[in-house]
Amino acid sequence: MHAFANPARFLTLARPLTLWFGWIGGVMLVACIIWGAVLGPEDYLQGDTVRIMYIHVPAAWLGMAGWSGIAVASAMQLIWKHPLAGVAARACAVPGAVFAALCLATGSIWGRPAWGTWWEWDGRLTSMLVLFFLYLGYIALSAAEHDGDGADGRMSALFGLVGAVNLPIIHFSVTWWNTLHQGQSISLMGGSKIDASMLWPLLGAALGASLLFGAIVLMRMRAELARTKVEARLRRMAAQ
Amino acid sequence: MKAKNQRLTLILLATAAMIGAVLLAMSAMKDEAAYFYSPADLAAARPGPDQALRLGGMVADKSIKRAADGVTITFTVTDGKAQTPVTFTGIAPDLFKENSGVVAEGKLRTDGVFVADNILAKHDERYMPPEMDGKMHKTGKVE
């Protein structure tokens, strides 16, 4: 990984990747949402409300994946002091928070017709809301730390690492406790309880959203590197 | 030991300790964080008639009956081990039906009947088109 410690080398790779990830991911996401939500079948029990799943489930996965990214990058920052790790962690925060919010909003809209309630304080819903608040806290903390002089971003890295304990809680909430939210439909070991006609567009939408997420993170990393460069140049000019 | 390895060890230990602490806390919270009681839990817990609680499980087959007033329904909630009769006055959600999950909010009357003042339908984790119904129901386990 230290091969990419040099921002210039990172940028030569990040520039084309942003483009590829963004276009392929965006097209794939839109196509798979149309495939599943517009052309796909209705559910035997829920009818048409199942169609929101093609947005809700990828949003939930990416909300959690975003924090996994923050945690891994934070560990790399704390242990190996990788110069780009902090930049990567901060870049994950805003898109992660947006996907977590999208997950909560679509889930709430689905919950009204399916369960008969907009919101209930069950294990899954509460832990997902906590994740969203953790994102807000991380964004505020890293911004505050970044503004200060001589900060190395260690506080937000620790916060990102500690906040990761919420991820297994979200994942296992439906197994550990009685929850209103249904149990997991897809598992690596147990296969899928979603019919293939719904599963493939769902997985496609999730992959497309992931690529788009990657493009956004790369774009934000490039923006932060560019800003750092500008600030350094301004400082040099002011010193002259 | 190099500083880098020291930091690695420290963070690995701290992470392990943190995960352990959370697992312990979560297993201690098992009952408190439960969103609802199953009929078997209810039989074991014996809550008082004034305690507000939630009852969750499957609506038993052919148990939904509508009273003469047209808005009161009675049904039985089962978890395979125990059964609780429920009475409810009001509008139930669309997905509320027999052999399907339900969460009822209310109180347990002293005669063992659960008086619900709100009913939520609990969806299960199976998703399929209508023509598949029955095909997967046989293999899908009822929880």
Side-chain angles (χ1 to χ4, degrees), chain B residues 37-100:
Chain B
Y37 286 91
S38 69
D41 296 338
L42 205 60
R46 299 236 134 267
D50 296 323
Q51 193 189 336
L53 51 89
R54 296 192 192 90
L55 168 72
M58 301 292 284
V59 181
D61 194 25
K62 298 191 182 67
S63 73
I64 299 182
K65 293 194 175 59
R66 196 164 283 277
D69 65 0
V71 287
T72 302
I73 48 174
T74 60
F75 56 95
T76 310
V77 173
T78 175
D79 60 356
K81 285 175 271 180
Q83 296 196 329
T84 309
V86 181
T87 170
F88 170 68
T89 305
I91 300 163
D94 290 350
L95 291 190
F96 170 74
K97 49 177 81 171
E98 284 163 356
N99 297 315
S100 170

Side-chain angles (χ1 to χ4, degrees), chain A residues 44 79 120 182 185 195, chain B residues 7 30 35 123 125 127-128:
Chain A
Y44 77 107
I79 298 167
E120 283 295 318
Q182 51 268 36
S185 300
D195 185 63
Chain B
R7 290 197 297 266
K30 202 164 172 38
Y35 179 71
H123 190 260
E125 67 276 19
Y127 298 81
M128 60 193 134

Side-chain angles (χ1 to χ4, degrees), chain A:
Chain A
M1 281 315 279
H2 272 85
F4 300 109
N6 179 348
R9 199 176 294 171
F10 166 78
L11 283 175
T12 55
L13 192 73
R15 255 185 229 116
L17 275 185
T18 311
L19 214 61
W20 282 106
F21 283 6
W23 278 108
I24 296 175
V27 169
M28 202 168 163
L29 179 63
V30 171
C32 287
I33 286 175
I34 293 173
W35 179 18
V38 181
L39 309 173
E42 57 171 30
D43 185 66
Y44 77 107
L45 194 61
Q46 305 169 40
D48 282 328
T49 52
V50 72
R51 299 181 194 282
I52 207 163
M53 168 178 80
Y54 301 100
I55 300 172
H56 176 72
V57 173
W61 283 347
L62 282 171
M64 292 170 72
W67 199 282
S68 312
I70 292 180
V72 170
S74 297
M76 289 176 68
Q77 181 190 347
L78 289 172
I79 298 167
W80 293 288
K81 311 259 182 206
H82 193 290
L84 284 178
V87 180
R90 280 190 294 279
C92 288
V94 170
V98 169
F99 276 115
L102 193 63
C103 164
L104 289 166
T106 51
S108 181
I109 293 167
W110 180 84
R112 186 67 193 87
W115 292 335
T117 179
W118 295 104
W119 183 263
E120 283 295 318
W121 294 101
D122 90 329
R124 174 57 71 81
L125 275 60
T126 309
S127 55
M128 198 64 201
L129 185 67
V130 168
L131 177 68
F132 177 64
F133 289 151
L134 283 174
Y135 271 121
L136 296 188
Y138 180 89
I139 291 167
L141 181 62
S142 61
E145 206 175 23
H146 211 55
D147 289 341
D149 284 329
D152 57 356
R154 196 184 297 173
M155 284 316 292
S156 36
L158 280 174
F159 185 75
L161 214 50
V162 172
V165 297
N166 191 36
L167 296 177
I169 298 179
I170 295 175
H171 182 80
F172 290 111
S173 56
V174 291
T175 317
W176 287 342
W177 306 310
N178 292 331
T179 51
L180 183 60
H181 194 285
Q182 51 268 36
Q184 68 180 52
S185 300
I186 304 169
S187 70
L188 287 178
M189 299 301 183
S192 159
K193 295 194 183 73
I194 301 180
D195 185 63
S197 62
M198 300 173 175
L199 183 65
W200 289 114
L202 177 63
L203 293 179
L207 183 61
S210 306
L211 288 174
L212 199 60
F213 189 93
I216 295 169
V217 169
L218 287 175
M219 219 184 281
R220 288 173 55 82
M221 287 178 75
R222 284 168 53 195
E224 185 166 333
L225 290 175
R227 193 165 46 233
T228 317
K229 213 161 151 186
V230 168
E231 278 165 9
R233 193 166 293 172
L234 284 175
R235 262 200 302 275
R236 270 203 309 277
M237 281 166 69
Q240 277 169 5

